[in-house]
Structure formats: C-alpha cells, structure tokens
Amino acid sequence: MNDAELMEMLNDLVYGIKSPDDYSGIRTRYCEVSIELNIRGLWAPAFRPSITIPLMAKKRQESHMLVHRDRLMIDCHWIHSKKMDVYPEQYWRPLFKGPPFRTDLAEEFATREAASDYRTETILGLTTLQQLQLKALRGAEVAAHKKAIVKHERDKDGRLVTPRLRAITAVINRWCEVQPKIRAQRSKFIAHAEARLLLEAVVTPTWREVAELGGLIQGVKPLGDKTVSDFMKNLDLKVKALATPVKL
C-alpha cells in the first residue's frame, strides 16, 4: 500500500469503532498499520486518529486499558524506528537498541503501572520535543499545552477566548474563501501553524524544526527550510491582514 492508502486505512479503522468492545475486532490490524507507519517514519503517533479513553477512571473499561497499552508499545516502537536519542534507565535501554525491536520488553514496559510524568521523564528521560510526537508517552505539561492551542478557555471576565490554532485556522479558511487557489495548501498551512505553536512553548524554533514537525503532523516528507520560512511569513501577513477588521 502507498502511504496515503495506509493512512486512510488507519482512519477507517479508528472511526469505525462505535463502542469500546469494538477494539478487539480491529486490534491486530490497527497495530499492524501503526507499526508500518512507524517503519516508514510517517505521521507521528501524536497526530494520528485515536480511540477516546475516558478521563475519569471509573468510566474506563478493560478495552480502554488495552488501547492504552498498545499506544505505549507503538510509541516505544516509534522512538526505536526514528532512532531518537533517549537516555532511559539501565533496565530499559535494550528496548531502544537494535534491531530487532524488543516486543517482549515493550510489552513489559506497557503493562507496568506508572504515572505518565514518571514514565516519560524519569524512566525514559524523554525531552519535551520528543514527547510532542508521542500519543501515550507524554507528561501532563505537554498534554496540557497540546490541548491549550485548540481548547476554548475563559478570561478573567468570564468571556470565551478563541485558542490560537483555532483563530489561525479561521483566518486560513477566510483566506481560502478570498483566494480559492489557496485551498490546495490549506492543510499545509494549518499543520505548520500547529507545529510552530507547539514548538514555541519549548524552544525558539528553527524553520527546520517547524518543517520536520509539520511533516510529521501531516504524514509527509518535510518541506525545505526556505520553503517553510516563506510559507509561514506569507501566513503571518495574511493573519495580520484578514484578522483585523476593516475600518470604514
């Protein structure tokens, strides 16, 4: 299968789930497709469609725990496939060496109980930049930041404040309306805007970092540094122009 077909298959599998019990019927295929995407280095786990796990523990079923454990193993395999520089505790170091990928050790890691922050930062020593690519292996701070750029919050006066990514997306949608030829690039603009917002909370990002993360959000090869630089500068101009009401 080509990359687009593989990504579409994952979408179909996830969005075809109507109840938690449905996961057992797609689990093998879901894991196979996820691992193949990892091998190809495409579409980082953090940005793939995902099965909802209730926030409240009392609402979680056994199938939800199975989903979580599979996510942990898929994240570990992504780290291994991307040959990330990680500094885990001694016992877990063989998990990220190789080949081959140690599925037995990954399963042991996934079934051990541990808080997210402890698992990601103490056991594995993952950086914030690494956690941004992962679905289950991310601490509370990274999870909160990723959520903050898309979730509406209230200001001190109780008014809803539009999150930055949603505000930028609204401008991009307006841009597509004003200039229909931009529609073909809409997903690129949104992906790179999201990449920059995520990175800005951690570092002053380079265009290379924005390009790399933008590609991983979309599941495509990254654009060149100069292309992304021009791309985002053009977007910034449009945000400034289209987000400001015209004075009559």
Side-chain angles (χ1 to χ4, degrees), residues 20-21 23-25 27-28 30-31 51 53 61-74 107 110-111:
D21 291 338
Y23 182 64
S24 61
R27 185 188 180 206
T28 298
Y30 169 82
C31 291
I51 300 150
I53 297 176
Q61 300 179 22
E62 181 58 33
S63 55
H64 291 127
M65 182 54 67
L66 195 60
V67 170
H68 179 63
R69 289 172 179 168
D70 287 345
R71 283 179 184 170
L72 286 169
M73 293 185 68
I74 290 165
E107 184 174 6
T111 52

Side-chain angles (χ1 to χ4, degrees), residues 20 37 43 83 91 98 145 186 188 200 205 216:
L37 285 169
W43 212 14
K83 296 181 173 61
Y91 183 80
H145 176 63
R186 177 180 178 274
K188 288 183 182 179
E200 281 176 346
L216 291 173

Side-chain angles (χ1 to χ4, degrees), residues 168-209:
I168 292 171
T169 299
V171 171
I172 294 170
N173 290 343
R174 173 61 179 150
W175 190 9
C176 291
E177 194 173 53
V178 174
Q179 294 180 259
K181 66 180 182 180
I182 297 297
R183 292 172 187 165
Q185 301 187 75
R186 177 180 178 274
S187 61
K188 288 183 182 179
F189 277 112
I190 295 173
H192 288 85
E194 180 179 359
R196 184 169 61 175
L197 286 172
L198 289 170
L199 289 165
E200 281 176 346
V202 186
V203 294
T204 300
T206 64
W207 291 123
R208 172 71 349 225
E209 289 172 324

Side-chain angles (χ1 to χ4, degrees), residues 148-155 159-170:
I149 67 172
V150 295
K151 183 183 177 183
H152 285 81
E153 299 288 353
R154 293 188 182 276
D155 63 16
R159 293 172 298 192
L160 280 176
V161 178
T162 302
R164 294 178 67 192
L165 183 58
R166 290 191 184 277
I168 292 171
T169 299

